[in-house]
Amino acid sequence: MPYKQRLNSWIIVRLLPNLQRSVVGRFRSWSDADGQIRILRQLLPEARLIVVFDPDDRS
């Protein structure tokens, strides 16, 4: 995996029905992801969103 991809290890995942998921965004730091998820929760209050550490790119 290229170095640039390894920098974005924190991801926001939207949990969908039937155990499906969708990656909303990738971030370099947890605090960046946390700030973005707070905004998304205000815009989409019904969405199930989580911040996850992703050490490698499998999605």
Side-chain angles (χ1 to χ4, degrees), residues 41-56:
R41 285 185 175 151
Q42 289 178 354
L43 295 173
L44 305 166
E46 72 286 344
R48 293 180 52 203
L49 301 165
I50 57 171
V51 176
V52 180
F53 182 76
D54 186 24
D56 54 17

Side-chain angles (χ1 to χ4, degrees), residues 4-18:
K4 188 170 183 171
Q5 285 182 350
R6 286 185 285 168
L7 291 176
N8 298 326
S9 296
W10 292 96
I11 59 175
I12 295 178
V13 176
R14 184 173 183 177
L15 303 175
L16 302 170
N18 298 325

Side-chain angles (χ1 to χ4, degrees), residues 2-35:
Y3 176 71
K4 188 170 183 171
Q5 285 182 350
R6 286 185 285 168
L7 291 176
N8 298 326
S9 296
W10 292 96
I11 59 175
I12 295 178
V13 176
R14 184 173 183 177
L15 303 175
L16 302 170
N18 298 325
L19 298 176
Q20 295 178 350
R21 62 187 168 93
S22 174
V23 175
V24 176
R26 295 185 175 275
F27 303 90
R28 289 186 181 192
S29 69
W30 178 86
S31 62
D32 289 344
D34 186 56

